[in-house]
């Protein structure tokens, strides 16, 4: 199994965490979408990370699709996303909020990083940031009433996605999550010491 992407990408990190939780051996190529366009396109024509190459050479793209495969083949009854029913819907709702927040945080970051200063449209950045932080605030409310994990009393894909989204907010966008989302931050502090999260911590 070959994972394409760097773990400072929330999308790549969530795949790496799942690989670790399921105990799947894998190699990783530390490519980024912007710095290694040609290398990434060899695995994903869209030029985005993550991609994952299976043992038979098949390349999967998009973190959700990759995780769907890992859940099906390796997760089975312990899958981080429950297979069906109300539990599945509840996990997927949180996943959509957290990963949607990542999308919005990245749009705000791209607006800042990929445009000449005079062409940055701050109202658009503010709107993206407001959408993403409102989603994280909703996760904070859920985290407030829970003990160790967000829902179902065990580690699920909801926790993995909340974790990567909170990190992107704090490290990537400089948002003070200790102040603004203290319960979510407490959750990510707890998760950070679990082996799958520790093993995938990026250098920067
Ligand atoms: N929906 C995709 C999003 C992947 C994504 O946006 N990756 C970013 C890195 S964090 C990327 O490669 N950006 C480069 C680009 O969009 O050109 C997923 O879940 O995998």
């Amino acid at each position: 199994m070959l994972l394409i992407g760097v773990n400072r990408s929330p999308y790549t990190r969530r795949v790496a965490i799942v690989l670790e939780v399921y105990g799947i051996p894998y190699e990783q190529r530390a490519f980024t979408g912007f710095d290694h366009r040609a290398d990434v396109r060899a695995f994903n024509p869209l030029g985005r990370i993550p991609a994952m190459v299976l043992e038979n050479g098949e390349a999967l793209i998009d973190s959700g699709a990759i995780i769907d495969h890992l859940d099906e083949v390796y997760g089975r009854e312990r899958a981080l996303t429950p297979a069906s029913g109300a539990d599945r819907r509840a996990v997927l709702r949180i996943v959509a909020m957290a990963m949607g927040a990542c999308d919005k945080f990245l749009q705000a970051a791209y607006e800042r990083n990929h445009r000449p200063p005079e062409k940055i449209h701050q109202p658009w950045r503010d709107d993206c940031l407001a959408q993403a932080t409102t989603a994280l605030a909703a996760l904070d409310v859920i985290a407030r009433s829970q003990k160790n994990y967000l829902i179902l009393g065990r580690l699920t894909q909801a926790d993995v996605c909340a974790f990567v989204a909170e990190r992107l907010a704090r490290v990537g966008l400089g948002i003070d999550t200790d102040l603004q989302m203290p319960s979510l931050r407490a959750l990510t502090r707890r998760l950070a010491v679990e082996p799958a999260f520790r093993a995938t911590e990026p250098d920067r």
Side-chain angles (χ1 to χ4, degrees):
M1 207 83 85
L2 176 65
L3 176 61
I4 307 298
V6 287
N7 283 353
R8 68 173 182 276
S9 153
Y11 311 97
T12 306
R13 177 100 183 258
R14 73 184 280 233
V15 172
I17 291 169
V18 174
L19 287 164
E20 295 284 342
V21 169
Y22 292 164
I24 304 166
Y26 66 102
E27 289 173 37
Q28 191 162 3
R29 295 232 180 109
F31 295 149
T32 74
F34 291 109
D35 298 332
H36 308 96
R37 273 272 188 251
D39 295 312
V40 173
R41 277 195 187 132
F43 300 96
N44 175 3
L46 189 57
R48 278 180 165 174
I49 57 167
M52 200 177 70
V53 186
L54 306 182
E55 298 303 336
N56 67 1
E58 190 183 342
L60 305 183
I61 58 171
D62 198 284
S63 61
I66 297 169
I67 287 170
D68 190 58
H69 170 76
L70 297 176
D71 282 344
E72 182 191 348
V73 176
Y74 302 92
R76 297 193 195 102
E77 67 287 341
R78 64 184 173 142
L80 291 174
T81 306
S84 62
D87 287 354
R88 179 177 175 82
R89 293 196 300 277
V91 168
L92 288 180
R93 179 180 157 78
I94 293 179
V95 167
M97 260 196 285
M99 298 320 291
C102 289
D103 296 342
K104 285 290 172 177
F105 278 136
L106 280 186
Q107 285 188 30
Y110 292 167
E111 182 73 17
R112 179 191 62 195
N113 300 341
H114 294 274
R115 283 179 177 274
E118 71 281 6
K119 291 193 172 162
I120 294 173
H121 190 54
Q122 194 57 39
W124 168 241
R125 282 201 81 224
D126 292 344
D127 194 43
C128 290
L129 291 169
Q131 276 179 281
T133 50
T134 304
L136 290 201
L139 299 185
D140 186 60
V141 171
I142 298 169
R144 211 172 292 161
S145 59
Q146 300 300 319
K147 216 162 177 247
N148 291 320
Y149 300 108
L150 268 183
I151 50 171
L152 308 186
R154 68 169 179 100
L155 181 72
T156 70
Q157 189 58 228
D159 301 292
V160 175
C161 292
F163 180 89
V164 298
E166 185 279 330
R167 186 183 191 278
L168 178 62
R170 180 169 39 83
V171 179
L173 280 299
I175 293 169
D176 188 346
T177 55
D178 279 299
L179 189 72
Q180 294 185 36
M181 302 108 188
S183 301
L184 177 62
R185 180 65 182 121
L187 171 78
T188 67
R189 280 187 198 282
R190 285 196 299 275
L191 292 174
V193 297
E194 292 199 10
F197 293 81
R198 267 217 319 267
T200 56
E201 185 61 27
D203 301 334
R204 63 187 176 92

